Amino acid sequence: IPMLYLSYKLGGRNYDMGESNKKYHRASNNMGGVLLYRENAFERFLFNYSPQINKKWERNWDYIRRQLVKINARRILIMKLGGILSTLMAIVLIMIMAYLVTQAVLDVVIFIPLVPALFALSNTLSWELSSCLYATAKIQRFFVDLTKFSLLSEYNRTKSDNDIDPGEFKTLEFRSVRFRYPGTEQYVLDGVDLLMEQGRHYAFVGVNGAGKTTITKLIMGLYDDYEGEILLNNIELRTIPPERRRKIFATVFQDFVKYEISLEDNIRLGKPDATNEDIEEALRLIGLSKLIEKLPDGTQTILGKLKEGGVELSGGEWQRIAMARAVVSHAEVKILDEPTAALDPISESHVYEQFSEIMRGATTIFISHRLGSTQLADTIYVLENGKITETGTHDELMRNRASYYDMYDSQRSWYTANRSGGRLLA
């Protein structure tokens, strides 16, 4: 009984140790990816950092290994001691039965099969049953955590427990919104007030870290622990079910996903019931028609290198596919976070020329560091240190000659020729 109890306790301790070591596992997996993944191959070759990363990987795994050795050594020691005790008990029982045989109390025909049975029972108690209890303790701890996780709500509703349908998109309003990321003290958004209306185009500009992308994350419901109010059609955003919000907003983030499936399926992710005509139209608007002609199987071509015969695309082509997903979707509001960052100047110009047709009938939220694109917006919001410092059209903000003017003017100078040096700056 003490041996079985200790085996059970060690199983629980082993699970707890695995939980506490997860940060080392994650670090090791991350470093292993740096050493192995295709995405890192160019810089791995260029900077030759593999030996240094490999040393860090080994240190992490050495720490994990030592912890495992320690806990398993205790387990084996307990099982060995239990095995010795069980064997001694079996020997004592056999001696007692042997004495009973000599006294003619126990028949020898019964005694002979009992001897191996006792040793088999000893082995089962000391090893097999202990191993089962050890594993049971780990599984029990896992299911306790799994149960807690499964009971977590996908999101928190602050004002109502009823499903609310906001209907067709009309307005989106921020009222004194403040937000900081979990585990940090600094507010990324600090008292943001703005109003966006149906059918209009909006642009957010500002330096890195000003809070532009954070605004889109709050709109999408990726975070709901903000202060203040975000109202969709005058309904607090947190009270609207996520599945309903997802039908209203379609987003192309800077770090969009490259799905290594067929090109057609890549686009169809934005609208599962899209027809072939819908997909072809989205590809035409985004300027991918010529690419389709070059692919061996047209829109059925597998993208990426996971499967044999897959075709790898350039960064700009992947970005246009991500944009096509947003274009083909049902969403009434399209959020484009640096949508042309990976495009060449000609492709970028094509997107701008087609912008009205691409976003026909939709409300758009445009985030870009290339301020030439902001001229497409009806209203531009300038963010600085988590606050909106300027609002207006491109012409109005240029007349103000404030932050927006300085940013736009500095970029405009990139495209001027250096007459004295005879070179083009950009």
Side-chain angles (χ1 to χ4, degrees):
I1 289 173
M3 178 190 65
L4 298 179
Y5 172 78
L6 289 173
S7 296
Y8 184 82
K9 293 292 286 185
L10 273 176
R13 191 176 299 175
N14 181 278
Y15 180 81
D16 292 338
M17 185 198 69
E19 289 296 297
S20 64
N21 285 344
K22 278 214 169 131
K23 61 180 180 180
Y24 297 100
H25 280 282
R26 283 195 293 268
S28 295
N29 290 337
N30 180 55
M31 287 184 282
V34 172
L35 292 169
L36 294 174
Y37 292 162
R38 180 171 172 267
E39 291 80 2
N40 306 106
F42 297 122
E43 291 198 1
R44 194 163 58 230
F45 175 79
L46 179 63
F47 296 113
N48 192 29
Y49 55 62
S50 295
Q52 289 78 15
I53 299 295
N54 197 46
K55 287 179 183 177
K56 291 184 177 182
W57 181 86
E58 287 177 347
R59 280 199 298 269
N60 266 280
W61 272 108
D62 186 60
Y63 175 83
I64 296 169
R65 179 190 59 79
R66 283 187 277 109
Q67 296 296 313
L68 287 172
V69 166
K70 187 185 299 184
I71 197 77
N72 284 321
R74 291 178 184 175
R75 176 193 170 202
I76 291 172
L77 177 62
I78 288 173
M79 293 176 73
K80 282 287 187 183
L81 289 173
I84 292 171
L85 288 174
S86 297
T87 302
L88 289 175
M89 288 172 62
I91 291 172
V92 170
L93 288 171
I94 290 169
M95 291 175 65
I96 292 172
M97 288 190 295
Y99 173 75
L100 293 174
V101 169
T102 60
Q103 298 298 314
V105 176
L106 183 66
D107 197 299
V108 69
V109 177
I110 298 175
F111 172 74
I112 292 174
L114 277 179
V115 172
L118 280 172
F119 281 111
L121 178 62
S122 171
N123 181 66
T124 299
L125 286 173
S126 59
W127 289 100
E128 294 180 26
L129 187 58
S130 295
S131 296
C132 286
L133 282 171
Y134 180 83
T136 299
K138 293 173 65 176
I139 294 169
Q140 184 187 41
R141 294 289 186 91
F142 168 76
F143 275 105
V144 168
D145 287 346
L146 180 63
T147 302
K148 290 179 182 178
F149 179 77
S150 64
L151 293 175
L152 290 175
S153 175
E154 182 180 356
Y155 63 100
N156 298 318
R157 295 184 181 178
T158 57
K159 295 188 176 179
S160 173
D161 292 328
N162 300 318
D163 286 349
I164 296 174
D165 187 349
E168 182 183 356
F169 176 82
K170 297 294 184 184
T171 62
L172 181 67
E173 184 178 4
F174 279 54
R175 292 182 181 174
S176 303
V177 173
R178 303 179 77 221
F179 175 75
R180 58 187 176 188
Y181 286 100
T184 65
E185 297 297 326
Q186 183 177 356
Y187 280 92
V188 182
L189 300 179
D190 192 7
V192 171
D193 292 284
L194 59 87
L195 176 65
M196 290 178 275
E197 298 176 319
Q198 182 185 34
R200 295 178 63 81
H201 305 311
Y202 298 88
F204 289 92
V205 301
V207 298
N208 290 333
K212 305 183 298 298
T213 299
T214 300
I215 286 178
T216 67
K217 290 178 179 179
L218 295 186
I219 292 173
M220 294 297 297
L222 300 181
Y223 296 92
D224 62 5
D225 50 348
Y226 52 83
E227 302 170 25
E229 292 182 304
I230 301 178
L231 303 176
L232 175 62
N233 295 348
N234 291 318
I235 301 171
E236 167 56 48
L237 198 64
R238 284 173 287 204
T239 66
I240 301 171
E243 59 274 11
R244 184 66 191 102
R245 282 182 294 194
R246 291 169 190 149
K247 292 179 181 178
I248 296 175
F249 302 104
T251 307
V252 180
F253 284 114
Q254 296 179 55
D255 51 349
F256 56 87
V257 178
K258 300 177 181 179
Y259 297 102
E260 301 203 10
I261 53 181
S262 73
L263 189 147
E264 178 182 315
D265 289 339
N266 258 280
I267 310 300
R268 203 180 294 278
L269 290 173
K271 181 183 176 184
D273 59 346
T275 64
N276 292 336
E277 290 74 19
D278 292 334
I279 293 173
E280 289 173 6
E281 177 67 6
L283 293 171
R284 182 190 68 80
L285 289 172
I286 298 300
L288 286 172
S289 299
K290 291 184 178 179
L291 171 66
I292 307 304
E293 295 172 3
K294 297 177 183 178
L295 296 176
D297 298 316
T299 58
Q300 298 301 317
T301 302
I302 301 297
L303 305 183
K305 291 295 184 181
L306 282 180
K307 293 187 178 180
E308 187 176 354
V311 175
E312 185 57 276
L313 303 180
S314 68
E317 289 165 340
W318 275 114
Q319 189 165 39
R320 281 187 281 175
I321 288 173
M323 291 179 66
R325 274 199 295 272
V327 169
V328 81
S329 73
H330 289 293
E332 302 164 66
V333 181
K334 316 284 190 182
I335 302 174
L336 308 175
D337 191 351
E338 293 288 350
T340 61
L343 301 186
D344 60 80
I346 295 175
S347 298
E348 183 180 22
S349 176
H350 169 82
V351 170
Y352 293 160
E353 290 170 1
Q354 297 288 102
F355 185 81
S356 296
E357 189 179 357
I358 290 172
M359 298 303 168
R360 183 174 54 240
T363 305
T364 59
I365 300 172
F366 202 87
I367 297 174
S368 179
H369 287 99
R370 301 184 186 183
L371 299 191
S373 63
T374 58
Q375 297 179 58
L376 301 168
D378 299 309
T379 302
I380 301 168
Y381 291 106
V382 181
L383 280 90
E384 292 184 74
N385 300 318
K387 300 177 183 292
I388 293 178
T389 56
E390 294 182 76
T391 305
T393 65
H394 171 76
D395 292 336
E396 290 170 348
L397 296 181
M398 290 299 289
R399 285 195 297 269
N400 289 344
R401 301 181 76 86
S403 298
Y404 180 84
Y405 175 87
D406 292 337
M407 287 188 287
Y408 188 86
D409 192 56
S410 66
Q411 290 191 13
R412 182 165 52 187
S413 66
W414 298 348
Y415 298 94
T416 60
N418 184 345
R419 301 290 184 183
S420 59
R423 294 177 299 169
L424 203 62
L425 294 180

